[in-house]
Amino acid sequence: MPTALAAPAGLLAGTLLGLVFGLAVRTRGVYFILITIAFGYVVWGVAHRWSSFTGGDNGVTNVPFPAVGDLRVASHTEYYYLVLVVAVLCALGYRLLIRSPFGLALRGIKGSESRMRTLGYDSNRHLYAAFVLSAALASLAGVLYVYYNRFVNPVAASFPVSVEAALMAIVGGSGTIAGPFVGSAIILGLRNWVSSFFELYAAIMVIVFIVAVLWAPGGVVGFAERLSGRATPS
């Protein structure tokens, strides 16, 4: 399939799943986590069993680099710069979003949902829209992931991958622009370093998660902001 057809199809498929799975925002806390994890298992199960389409464990191989007309990527170096541009544009878009009325409403719901309801905001509708938007961004990341590896199989939708992505945001600092970038550097660095000499490297990830939740609930970025705030004279 040509890039001009395959890439938008991937974005559309992920966003449509977000429209369906977004119904989970009616729940809160641990129930929301459990339901979204269950939805993830549904995706993994369908991808694993629909082997005639997905290739099963063998996956889809020989995915070519993206090419649209005369514009084409010929190497991983060129692809790196393409992903860099997309990541910067997404970060700038996110910055505009959190400063918009919609973004401010989401921040208010995070701070106190009951107060926002009192002010007349429909928190479920706002959270649903945020869920679908996050699904679209995740779909974009998934498309870039496939073109980078030039291969994809159901493992990409497995539970460990989902947990690793969540860890990146939590450790780096959820609700911040730089947090996920910092978190991904920490998690991927630890995974590659620890797994080279310790088979149960996932246990180290759990420890990192516990430390972040107990002593740095705002993540590394949030912790650094608190330290800088204390260091600044009033």
Side-chain angles (χ1 to χ4, degrees):
M1 300 295 293
T3 304
L5 205 59
L11 286 169
L12 180 62
T15 305
L16 289 177
L17 279 177
L19 287 171
V20 178
F21 294 169
L23 298 175
V25 300
R26 293 180 176 273
T27 60
R28 297 291 185 271
V30 67
Y31 299 104
F32 175 77
I33 296 172
L34 292 174
I35 290 176
T36 51
I37 288 176
F39 283 151
Y41 268 113
V42 170
V43 174
W44 173 85
V46 171
H48 183 73
R49 292 189 174 275
W50 195 6
S51 58
S52 61
F53 179 71
T54 65
D57 289 333
N58 295 324
V60 178
T61 59
N62 298 321
V63 177
F65 278 125
V68 179
D70 294 332
L71 300 176
R72 59 183 62 248
V73 175
S75 66
H76 277 100
T77 302
E78 293 180 2
Y79 190 70
Y80 166 80
Y81 289 109
L82 172 64
V83 174
L84 180 62
V85 170
V86 173
V88 170
L89 290 176
C90 287
L92 292 175
Y94 181 76
R95 185 178 178 84
L96 292 175
L97 175 69
I98 60 177
R99 295 185 174 184
S100 67
F102 174 72
L104 293 174
L106 288 177
R107 292 168 68 180
I109 292 171
K110 181 180 179 181
S112 177
E113 184 176 351
S114 59
R115 289 183 181 181
M116 295 300 288
R117 284 182 178 273
T118 303
L119 293 173
Y121 286 89
D122 188 341
S123 59
N124 283 333
R125 183 175 297 179
H126 278 77
L127 292 175
Y128 180 76
F131 190 100
V132 174
L133 177 61
S134 70
L137 288 174
S139 303
L140 174 60
V143 170
L144 295 175
Y145 174 85
V146 172
Y147 281 120
Y148 171 72
N149 290 293
R150 306 182 69 179
F151 165 81
V152 64
N153 68 357
V155 174
S158 63
F159 175 72
V161 175
S162 301
V163 170
E164 193 173 75
L167 271 178
M168 291 175 183
I170 294 170
V171 172
S174 60
T176 64
I177 297 175
F181 293 100
V182 174
S184 63
I186 293 173
I187 295 300
L188 293 177
L190 275 175
R191 186 187 69 181
N192 295 332
W193 177 60
V194 174
S195 62
S196 64
F197 61 86
F198 186 51
E199 185 176 354
L200 300 176
Y201 70 92
I204 303 298
M205 300 299 174
V206 174
I207 295 174
V208 170
F209 171 73
I210 293 173
V211 170
V213 170
L214 292 179
W215 287 286
V220 173
V221 173
F223 184 70
E225 289 177 348
R226 287 210 314 269
L227 287 180
S228 63
R230 293 175 183 176
T232 302
S234 58

